[in-house]
Amino acid sequence: MGEALKSQSSRTMSLLSQLEKINLGSVLGEADNARYVTSKILHLVQSQEKTRKEMTSKGSTGIEVILSTLENTKDPQTMLNILNILIEVISVGGGRKANILVAKGGTQILLQLLLTASKDSPPNEELMVLLHTLLAKIGPKDKKIGMKARINGALNISLNLVKQNLQNHRLILPCLQVLRVYSTSSVNAVSLGKNGVVELMFKIIGPFSKKNTSLMKVALDTLAALLKSKTNARRAVDRGYVQVLLTIYVDWHRHDSRHRYMLIRKGVLQCIKSVTNIKLGRKAFIDANGMKILYNTSQECLAVRTLDPLVNTSSLIMRKCFPKNRLPLPTIKSAFHFQLPVIPASGPVAQLYNLPPDVDDVVDESDDNDDAETESEIETENDDKDQHFKNDDIETDINKLKPRQELGRPLEELKMYERFFPELSEKFQECDLVSKEPKPFIPDANLSGPIVVPTAGEEYSAETKQSTKGVALKESNPVLTEEYNRRPAFLELPKKDSVKDSSLHQQNDQRNLSPSCQCLNQEIVKGLDRMSLQTSAKNDQYYSTACVITKESKTSLTTLACSNPCEHVSPCGSSLFEGSSVHLGKLCCTGVDSEEEDSRSSSSGEQVMLEVSDVSPVHDCDLYIEMVKTTKSIPEYSEVAYPDYFGHIPPPFKEPILERLYGVQRTKISQDIERLIHQNDIIDRVVYDLDNLSCLVPEEADVLKFNSKFESGNLRKVIQIRKNEYDLILNSDINSNHYHQWFYFEVSGMKTGIGYRFNIINCEKSNSQFNYGMQPLMYSVQEALNSRPCWTRVGTDICYYKNHFSRSSIAAGGQKGKSYYTITFTVTFQHKDDVCYFAYHYPYTYSTLKMHLQKLESMHNPQQIYFRQDVLCETLAGNSCPLVTITAMPESNYYEHICQFRNRPYVFLSARVHPGETNASWVMKGTLEYLMSNNPSAQCLRESYIFKIIPMLNPDGVINGNHRCSLSGEDLNRQWQNPNPDLHPTIYHAKGLLQYLAAIKRLPLVYCDYHGHSRKKNVFMYGCSIKETMWHTNVNAAACDLMEDPCYRVLPKILSQTAPAFCMGSCSFVVEKSKESTARVVVWREIGVQRSYTMESTLCGCDQGKYKGLQIGTRELEEMGAKFCVGLLRLKRMSSPLEYSLPSSLLDIENELMESSCKVTSPTTYVLDEDEPRFLEEVDYSAESNDDQDTELADNVGDYEATNQEDGLSDSDSARILLS
């Protein structure tokens, strides 16, 4: 057998050698010999796969010899033999073999032969069939084939052959395939269109017939490619072909009952899809009743899963042709106005202020210039598509990348910030320092001992776990435990606050602060007045309940004695928080479901046992109200949202990432299309409207009531569409006309057992984690009254998709044709006539922050902790921006101890520059509570660093329900390069603090700005590296010679090992041009802080580690804040040369980069790289977003879970874990 194969191989080579000699003209009788040799080769190729492989194997000249013969021969039979040989060779092995043929110049030879053969009269039919068959096979692999055919003059040969041989299906089939290949070039498509190709295609696809279906399929594919040209599409519309296509589709739909011709049906839809890319096509489609036709046919296809491609394509066409609507608003500018002290000279805010008052900024311009332009289809046949993704946003100028430490302001001017650093001059003469009393613990004793962190993974048990402060206290430390138990249950407010409150007494009397259940049903209210937050004596009787809390450590039950003098008041489960005397009005004291009333309701004063699984040490209902009174909002809110008043306790159950239902998006789109088809079914009733103050609250029992007139609320208008379906419109950021994403609103008046659909219809991002398992959050007042005050993930049929509401160019930065997006979700309520709140993410208001800081200050041990709260500056609205300083008190006022205190390195933290990223505040809460805890490692951390923290950089944005901007209408995280003290005071002064530290040579060791990320999972960091930035560009030579300290990678690496939610694989250290004015880049480049980070926390959940497959909650976010602190402690130990020598392998970033595919985020705020795979459901989420599957981000760190055991490891063990 081996001998036979060997002889076969040598036979092939011998024949090719003979053929080569014939080409060189060294053999007599060339034509006959060539015919004979090629027929032998053809026989071998047809019978032996080995021969086919040999012809295209590496180093073989077989293809060159064959092509050379084809080019030179005049013998028709030899040509036919060679064409058959080539067809055989490339038919096995697919694209690679075709590429070889293209690379050897095969396309030009075939086109030239086609041109020559066409001059024969009549042309050789067999030759034409084979030539076109071969061109159709190699054409898709030659991106230049369209241009080559046009230059060669071969373009119309195939078209004329089809015209002259309409009945010869064997000939025109490959000709149509070649025309389809040519038509990928828009220039060719236009040229062919002028020669009547569109009309010709409609002759072929003509009336319905099941004969020659293969020809029909190819003709439809060719027509779909041709109609992508606007010129050809207009030609088709002008000749009434849209109606013809719809008729053909309906015919095939009716006659193809066994679904054998799905490809033909899809081909017709692809033609409709192409022709409706132009405005005239869409209008013709609507006029021909296309919406109803495709809607009805697709509904009939839903039952058969194999017909999904037809349903999906129909859905895309209908969504595209759905007439664009303007948002039902008088203006897209915010419903609230704030006059700026200074108008920027340029930019979107300047444009907003310069708009003439009569300009309609909501106008739909989506199709204005769609067909008016001249044909601008130019040659695009180049290799650009083959080029790898290149991010032009990456900074390539090495001079701009190199940090250039510069103060930016005169030293004299920076001295104004000296007052924010009293710790650098404090002598502590008057202080009662730790050394004068027995120490609760030895600071350095537990240096390598356990690091106890509040862990999100712990399950909560009401029966076995004693209510704690939320920070882990070691049972083995009696001093700490005793100190905690001594803490009074009721904490007095500092006197300075009460003075401040009294000065505002008169003002607050006029601000009728009340909870925001504007529209409660009588069953819950029972005719009682609403809770008032006025300080007048008249209302005191309604909320001066004396709530006494006693702890029973074994059962963890809180006994509440509620002595309320009001009638009809059942005791409430609202005193859930340690250290708070909760003053609730009658509404809050009603409270249980009607079916539970018999067992739960009792006369006033009866004790009710409430089961509490966890308490928050820093939530105080009364204190929250006091904080609200001093919060200044632009709408002058007079109501308080119940979730902010009651507080939030993380639910004791896990909340998995929601599995997406198949076909959910097309179902929602078809329901939207029903609005157009069945317009009489649409109610279209406005039930809430900020722009129309006379809008009445619906009185009907079956209509939901809405409200968002409270801090951080954002809801502008609600329209009832169907009985249980509502369209919601969000308010723009103040002094802006866009940034709609954050929502927080109240709903009441619901019934149980009914699915209510909510559509938020003016979102702007092109994709969202709502498409990847994220759910919105809901807070039930009824549940809170039943001792379950928590935000929970809810909603089914969740989807995020482009809708038919168009964004005006004014709102889209000058771009026309942009659409808004819809978040849709369906909720079935548990309780009748409940009051529920919905939010984009866990709300965290400015008043909540003030309350938390106040509680932390009142609860801390001043002997151990140096805690100081300053007002950095006032915001545009007159709210204070808190600045917090935390460190350990010096051991004594001896010189050595004071020196050690003053010389601690600084860590500078900030958060919440973007109001909609509430998760950043929860992470910051975790950081603050950990730093203030009695935990030995927290004390060690305080002794290691001085923390300067700005927990909320954008109070005004948070208060007024903005998503991204401050009152200046600008993204404050794009103002760090040149902040304006009048427009961006918090950024100006935050940068001033850092500039002052740089001026006195006290650069922070770490700067970190906490953010939230709406498109990616996990928690991760962005840092700054010149070398890594250069690696992502073509400027590799400069990067090779660059020396850079890789210390910026250490902290993220530590966090990836200790924080379960953190993912090193998602981190990036690339500097982009569009991010040059962000805090991270400016602090790195101008201030000179090498470890300058943005820490991004997901809004959705995790896809790795301990929390894989779970949505993130406040417990996990707070844990991340605590783990960040632990990471800083590890960083301190590892970077201290006396304590630890850092192995170089940890910082071998070159190797790590090669192992991981760390991706760079794209330049813009709105179009970001997705980290999700495509869905099986083929749905075009948006024209703007790239839906392709991304390469997986490699997390080369592994899935190491932090545990208590790990926390107890020694430093050397920790290092081994880091390096493993």
Side-chain angles (χ1 to χ4, degrees):
M1 182 70 178
E3 290 294 325
L5 284 173
K6 191 172 181 182
S7 64
Q8 204 89 49
S9 171
S10 57
R11 175 80 174 133
T12 307
M13 300 314 292
S14 171
L15 289 168
L16 287 169
S17 179
Q18 287 181 49
L19 200 55
E20 194 168 11
K21 289 176 183 175
I22 293 169
N23 290 341
L24 296 171
S26 59
V27 181
L28 295 174
E30 291 177 13
D32 291 341
N33 278 331
R35 192 182 309 137
Y36 172 76
V37 172
T38 52
S39 67
K40 289 293 182 186
I41 294 173
L42 176 60
H43 174 72
L44 286 171
V45 166
Q46 288 174 333
S47 59
Q48 297 291 337
E49 185 181 346
K50 185 173 174 59
T51 307
R52 293 195 289 268
K53 288 182 179 177
E54 276 181 4
M55 295 280 289
T56 54
S57 63
K58 197 172 182 181
S60 169
T61 57
I63 293 291
E64 287 99 321
V65 173
I66 292 286
L67 287 174
S68 177
T69 308
L70 182 62
E71 196 172 15
N72 295 319
T73 187
K74 303 284 188 245
D75 180 53
Q77 189 56 49
T78 304
M79 291 179 189
L80 294 175
N81 287 343
I82 291 174
L83 290 173
N84 276 312
I85 290 168
L86 292 173
I87 289 168
E88 287 291 336
V89 166
I90 67 169
S91 61
V92 179
R96 192 180 67 81
K97 303 285 178 68
N99 283 333
I100 293 171
L101 202 55
V102 171
K104 305 288 186 188
T107 311
Q108 289 92 326
I109 294 169
L110 292 172
L111 288 171
Q112 187 57 45
L113 182 58
L114 178 62
L115 190 63
T116 307
S118 68
K119 293 174 183 174
D120 296 342
S121 185
N124 184 325
E125 181 181 316
E126 187 64 25
L127 184 62
M128 286 300 186
V129 169
L130 292 177
L131 267 173
H132 280 90
T133 301
L134 196 52
L135 280 168
K137 285 180 182 293
I138 70 168
K141 299 298 176 185
D142 187 350
K143 291 185 170 58
K144 303 279 187 183
I145 190 170
M147 186 173 63
K148 291 172 184 174
R150 195 167 60 253
I151 293 170
N152 188 284
L155 200 58
N156 287 317
I157 293 172
S158 305
L159 178 59
N160 290 331
L161 272 175
V162 176
K163 285 181 179 178
Q164 294 157 14
N165 299 276
L166 274 177
Q167 301 309 312
N168 187 344
H169 296 157
R170 179 172 177 269
L171 173 59
I172 67 171
L173 183 66
C175 291
L176 288 175
Q177 289 173 327
V178 172
L179 287 174
R180 181 180 61 188
V181 172
Y182 290 163
S183 300
T184 54
S185 157
S186 57
V187 176
N188 286 350
V190 173
S191 175
L192 290 166
K194 289 175 182 174
N195 288 320
V197 70
V198 176
E199 294 82 353
L200 186 62
M201 291 302 108
F202 276 95
K203 280 185 184 177
I204 296 171
I205 65 173
F208 168 78
S209 168
K210 288 189 179 179
K211 295 177 184 177
N212 304 309
T213 51
S214 57
L215 181 67
M216 176 85 171
K217 173 70 180 71
V218 174
L220 285 166
D221 288 348
T222 307
L223 181 59
L226 287 161
L227 291 176
K228 286 179 181 176
S229 155
K230 290 181 181 178
T231 303
N232 290 340
R234 278 195 286 275
R235 192 185 303 273
V237 173
D238 292 343
R239 285 161 177 71
Y241 288 147
V242 174
Q243 177 71 66
V244 173
L245 285 169
L246 285 166
T247 303
I248 292 172
Y249 183 69
V250 171
D251 284 343
W252 278 98
H253 175 77
R254 286 176 182 162
H255 291 95
D256 184 23
S257 55
R258 296 189 179 181
H259 314 306
R260 292 178 178 174
Y261 303 105
M262 193 186 78
L263 290 177
I264 288 178
R265 292 158 70 179
K266 187 173 182 184
V268 180
L269 288 176
Q270 291 293 348
C271 294
I272 296 172
K273 185 180 173 186
S274 294
V275 81
T276 51
N277 281 336
I278 64 169
K279 183 179 179 180
L280 281 174
R282 292 191 286 275
K283 184 177 184 304
F285 177 83
I286 295 290
D287 292 345
N289 205 19
M291 293 292 276
K292 194 164 189 176
I293 289 169
L294 288 196
Y295 174 79
N296 290 335
T297 53
S298 61
Q299 292 299 304
E300 290 168 20
C301 292
L302 283 174
V304 184
R305 187 70 174 264
T306 54
L307 298 182
D308 276 357
L310 302 183
V311 178
N312 291 336
T313 308
S314 297
S315 177
L316 289 176
I317 294 167
M318 287 187 287
R319 183 170 63 169
K320 180 167 57 176
C321 295
F322 200 117
K324 290 286 184 183
N325 292 345
R326 58 176 283 154
L327 276 179
L329 293 175
T331 173
I332 49 173
K333 293 196 289 284
S334 172
F336 307 123
H337 178 68
F338 176 80
Q339 183 62 43
L340 293 176
V342 180
I343 309 300
S346 60
V349 180
Q351 292 171 11
L352 203 69
Y353 271 81
N354 292 329
L355 273 180
D358 55 342
V359 166
D360 181 4
D361 60 357
V362 199
V363 65
D364 169 22
E365 311 150 308
S366 55
D367 286 327
D368 275 6
N369 295 320
D370 190 76
D371 296 313
E373 77 276 0
T374 55
E375 189 65 60
S376 60
E377 292 155 323
I378 57 171
E379 193 63 50
T380 57
E381 295 153 337
N382 51 47
D383 296 327
D384 286 350
K385 290 180 184 176
D386 270 1
Q387 291 181 359
H388 291 294
F389 167 75
K390 182 186 176 188
N391 190 345
D392 293 328
D393 190 41
I394 298 176
E395 182 57 79
T396 55
D397 186 341
I398 198 161
N399 293 318
K400 287 187 177 178
L401 280 172
K402 284 181 179 173
R404 51 180 199 283
Q405 192 173 341
E406 51 188 42
L407 293 179
R409 290 162 69 179
L411 194 56
E412 287 301 314
E413 188 181 326
L414 290 173
K415 282 187 177 176
M416 66 182 282
Y417 298 106
E418 189 176 356
R419 65 190 178 92
F420 294 109
F421 297 91
E423 64 274 9
L424 296 180
S425 55
E426 176 70 64
K427 293 193 171 95
F428 296 97
Q429 295 301 319
E430 305 296 322
C431 296
D432 186 16
L433 296 174
V434 173
S435 62
K436 297 178 184 177
E437 294 184 6
K439 298 177 189 175
F441 57 85
I442 302 169
D444 293 323
N446 290 310
L447 198 60
S448 58
I451 296 174
V452 186
V453 188
T455 304
E458 294 172 5
E459 295 297 330
Y460 288 79
S461 167
E463 295 180 1
T464 60
K465 182 175 175 183
Q466 180 178 357
S467 298
T468 69
K469 291 175 51 184
V471 292
L473 297 172
K474 296 200 304 179
E475 291 296 328
S476 59
N477 195 327
V479 181
L480 283 177
T481 311
E482 182 186 348
E483 194 278 329
Y484 169 64
N485 289 336
R486 279 204 312 267
R487 195 169 309 288
F490 297 90
L491 295 162
E492 297 288 335
L493 292 183
K495 291 182 180 178
K496 59 179 181 182
D497 280 63
S498 57
V499 173
K500 189 188 295 183
D501 287 347
S502 64
S503 67
L504 292 165
H505 188 101
Q506 186 177 357
Q507 172 191 336
N508 291 329
D509 275 349
Q510 297 166 10
R511 291 178 58 191
N512 183 25
L513 293 167
S514 52
S516 60
C517 341
Q518 190 177 31
C519 331
L520 283 172
N521 187 286
Q522 291 298 311
E523 282 189 34
I524 245 194
V525 179
K526 296 184 179 177
L528 301 177
D529 295 333
R530 296 166 58 196
M531 183 177 81
S532 169
L533 308 179
Q534 283 184 331
T535 52
S536 61
K538 175 185 174 183
N539 291 301
D540 280 354
Q541 58 180 316
Y542 292 126
Y543 64 84
S544 59
T545 54
C547 299
V548 181
I549 298 174
T550 61
K551 292 248 181 85
E552 295 179 17
S553 58
K554 291 183 181 177
T555 59
S556 185
L557 293 177
T558 302
T559 307
L560 172 68
C562 185
S563 54
N564 194 316
C566 305
E567 296 178 7
H568 309 299
V569 177
S570 55
C572 63
S574 49
S575 184
L576 303 169
F577 311 104
E578 177 192 357
S580 62
S581 176
V582 184
H583 298 164
L584 295 177
K586 299 174 181 177
L587 162 67
C588 303
C589 289
T590 68
V592 288
D593 287 304
S594 53
E595 62 268 20
E596 297 176 336
E597 277 189 26
D598 293 338
S599 60
R600 295 291 300 269
S601 62
S602 56
S603 61
S604 176
E606 183 178 335
Q607 293 189 344
V608 181
M609 302 297 286
L610 296 173
E611 195 172 22
V612 182
S613 59
D614 192 13
V615 292
S616 170
V618 290
H619 194 93
D620 182 324
C621 303
D622 296 334
L623 183 56
Y624 183 80
I625 297 304
E626 293 305 310
M627 296 299 103
V628 169
K629 291 175 183 177
T630 59
T631 296
K632 299 170 185 173
S633 63
I634 302 310
E636 298 185 348
Y637 292 130
S638 59
E639 300 171 10
V640 174
Y642 275 94
D644 303 323
Y645 177 80
F646 281 137
H648 158 75
I649 292 173
F653 47 84
K654 293 177 180 177
E655 297 180 292
I657 289 173
L658 196 67
E659 187 176 345
R660 182 184 173 88
L661 293 175
Y662 183 84
V664 63
Q665 177 161 284
R666 70 183 186 201
T667 302
K668 297 302 174 187
I669 291 169
S670 70
Q671 288 171 0
D672 286 352
I673 288 161
E674 286 171 10
R675 299 188 189 190
L676 188 71
I677 297 170
H678 307 299
Q679 294 185 10
N680 293 337
D681 296 344
I682 302 305
I683 297 171
D684 200 29
R685 175 189 179 187
V686 177
V687 294
Y688 179 81
D689 191 356
L690 282 185
D691 295 293
N692 179 12
L693 298 177
S694 61
C695 179
L696 299 174
V697 176
E699 296 295 331
E700 297 90 328
D702 57 350
V703 180
L704 294 181
K705 286 82 176 171
F706 293 83
N707 184 33
S708 73
K709 296 172 185 173
F710 45 78
E711 188 175 346
S712 293
N714 189 326
L715 186 61
R716 182 169 187 166
K717 190 170 187 175
V718 182
I719 302 166
Q720 186 182 17
I721 299 300
R722 299 181 176 96
K723 184 178 180 183
N724 300 313
E725 181 179 354
Y726 297 84
D727 278 0
L728 284 66
I729 301 175
L730 304 178
N731 196 19
S732 299
D733 285 6
I734 292 175
N735 274 317
S736 170
N737 53 24
H738 57 138
Y739 297 118
H740 314 97
Q741 209 77 17
W742 165 258
F743 58 86
Y744 184 17
F745 58 88
E746 173 198 291
V747 178
S748 58
M750 66 285 291
K751 295 180 179 176
T752 55
I754 294 172
Y756 290 92
R757 179 180 170 187
F758 300 95
N759 311 307
I760 299 172
I761 63 172
N762 65 330
C763 299
E764 292 175 337
K765 293 192 177 185
S766 58
N767 211 339
S768 165
Q769 284 289 326
F770 282 116
N771 275 335
Y772 305 110
M774 183 167 87
Q775 295 174 281
L777 286 146
M778 188 183 86
Y779 190 105
S780 160
V781 172
Q782 189 69 264
E783 285 292 297
L785 295 175
N786 291 338
S787 74
R788 292 183 291 274
C790 58
W791 286 98
T792 53
R793 302 274 187 174
V794 298
T796 56
D797 293 347
I798 299 171
C799 188
Y800 188 96
Y801 61 95
K802 186 196 285 188
N803 60 34
H804 54 275
F805 291 102
S806 68
R807 291 168 64 187
S808 66
S809 59
I810 296 171
Q815 298 178 71
K816 292 188 177 180
K818 294 281 186 181
S819 294
Y820 286 105
Y821 292 78
T822 292
I823 299 170
T824 181
F825 56 92
T826 300
V827 176
T828 303
F829 296 98
Q830 287 184 302
H831 306 285
K832 183 184 177 185
D833 296 320
D834 196 357
V835 180
C836 291
Y837 292 79
F838 290 95
Y840 181 59
H841 199 66
Y842 300 93
Y844 190 104
T845 65
Y846 172 68
S847 299
T848 300
L849 171 69
K850 290 194 296 181
M851 174 192 67
H852 283 168
L853 292 178
Q854 191 89 291
K855 289 291 288 183
L856 286 172
E857 183 169 11
S858 65
M859 291 163 65
H860 85 281
N861 180 352
Q863 288 186 347
Q864 291 180 9
I865 303 175
Y866 179 98
F867 179 94
R868 179 183 171 88
Q869 187 182 165
D870 293 292
V871 175
L872 175 64
C873 62
E874 280 203 343
T875 64
L876 293 178
N879 293 293
S880 60
C881 177
L883 169 67
V884 175
T885 306
I886 301 174
T887 188
M889 290 292 280
E891 198 170 334
S892 73
N893 53 19
Y894 291 144
Y895 176 78
E896 293 83 357
H897 291 149
I898 298 295
C899 276
Q900 189 277 339
F901 174 87
R902 292 179 182 171
N903 287 316
R904 292 170 190 164
Y906 276 94
V907 170
F908 202 109
L909 306 177
S910 59
R912 205 69 186 280
V913 70
H914 295 143
E917 296 167 9
T918 57
N919 46 357
S921 282
W922 288 99
V923 176
M924 180 58 78
K925 178 176 182 281
T927 293
L928 287 168
E929 289 190 17
Y930 183 84
L931 289 175
M932 297 295 288
S933 70
N934 291 326
N935 186 318
S937 58
Q939 176 66 11
C940 187
L941 190 62
R942 291 191 292 266
E943 291 172 353
S944 301
Y945 300 110
I946 300 173
F947 288 87
K948 284 287 177 189
I949 302 175
I950 307 176
M952 194 171 281
L953 277 167
N954 190 354
D956 288 346
V958 171
I959 292 164
N960 294 290
N962 285 7
H963 175 66
R964 196 165 185 88
C965 298
S966 69
L967 292 185
S968 70
E970 296 164 298
D971 180 346
L972 288 183
N973 202 35
R974 295 296 185 278
Q975 310 303 325
W976 278 78
Q977 266 185 327
N978 190 26
N980 183 311
D982 296 317
L983 292 175
H984 325 118
T986 60
I987 305 302
Y988 181 82
H989 294 296
K991 186 177 181 181
L993 292 176
L994 288 157
Q995 288 170 322
Y996 176 75
L997 285 173
I1000 63 172
K1001 310 299 182 193
R1002 293 295 301 272
L1003 274 182
L1005 181 73
V1006 172
Y1007 170 75
C1008 191
D1009 193 20
Y1010 293 2
H1011 281 254
H1013 204 293
S1014 67
R1015 312 273 192 105
K1016 301 184 82 168
K1017 292 185 170 69
N1018 310 311
V1019 181
F1020 52 94
M1021 275 179 160
Y1022 294 136
C1024 302
S1025 161
I1026 304 176
K1027 206 161 187 175
E1028 294 197 37
T1029 302
M1030 303 307 273
W1031 277 334
H1032 282 86
T1033 69
N1034 297 323
V1035 196
N1036 287 320
C1040 293
D1041 304 329
L1042 196 65
M1043 295 301 293
E1044 183 177 45
D1045 184 350
C1047 65
Y1048 61 87
R1049 269 186 167 257
V1050 179
L1051 182 58
K1053 187 80 174 178
I1054 292 170
L1055 291 175
S1056 72
Q1057 303 294 358
T1058 56
F1062 196 90
C1063 175
M1064 187 72 185
S1066 296
C1067 295
S1068 172
F1069 303 94
V1070 173
V1071 179
E1072 294 165 298
K1073 295 173 188 172
S1074 62
K1075 306 290 170 61
E1076 286 182 346
S1077 55
T1078 61
R1080 163 178 62 100
V1081 178
V1082 170
V1083 172
W1084 170 71
R1085 182 182 291 163
E1086 293 183 24
I1087 311 296
V1089 179
Q1090 277 192 302
R1091 294 182 179 91
S1092 179
Y1093 306 104
T1094 299
M1095 187 162 74
E1096 300 273 1
S1097 300
T1098 180
L1099 291 165
C1100 178
C1102 297
D1103 59 11
Q1104 53 83 52
K1106 186 164 74 171
Y1107 305 132
K1108 183 176 182 178
L1110 297 178
Q1111 294 185 78
I1112 205 158
T1114 57
R1115 192 184 296 136
E1116 291 77 23
L1117 292 168
E1118 290 184 52
E1119 179 198 54
M1120 186 63 235
K1123 291 288 189 182
F1124 181 82
C1125 296
V1126 175
L1128 290 173
L1129 191 55
R1130 294 269 172 94
L1131 180 69
K1132 170 73 174 174
R1133 294 173 182 173
M1134 294 171 72
S1135 59
S1136 170
L1138 297 176
E1139 296 177 35
Y1140 188 77
S1141 177
L1142 188 65
S1144 59
S1145 55
L1146 175 63
L1147 305 178
D1148 188 359
I1149 55 174
E1150 285 89 349
N1151 290 339
E1152 186 169 310
L1153 276 178
M1154 285 188 286
E1155 290 167 10
S1156 69
S1157 55
C1158 187
K1159 274 181 35 175
V1160 186
T1161 53
S1162 79
T1164 61
T1165 303
Y1166 279 79
V1167 186
L1168 296 169
D1169 279 347
E1170 307 300 344
D1171 60 349
E1172 303 288 350
R1174 285 177 71 106
F1175 292 116
L1176 292 175
E1177 177 186 356
E1178 185 188 338
V1179 178
D1180 174 17
Y1181 285 106
S1182 72
E1184 294 90 49
S1185 66
N1186 177 9
D1187 225 17
D1188 293 338
Q1189 183 170 356
D1190 286 328
T1191 50
E1192 286 292 312
L1193 297 176
D1195 185 4
N1196 56 348
V1197 171
D1199 240 2
Y1200 177 74
E1201 292 187 9
T1203 62
N1204 287 336
Q1205 180 185 357
E1206 181 273 318
D1207 279 335
L1209 294 175
S1210 68
D1211 292 336
S1212 56
D1213 289 336
S1214 303
R1216 281 198 292 275
I1217 291 167
L1218 277 169
L1219 299 171
S1220 60

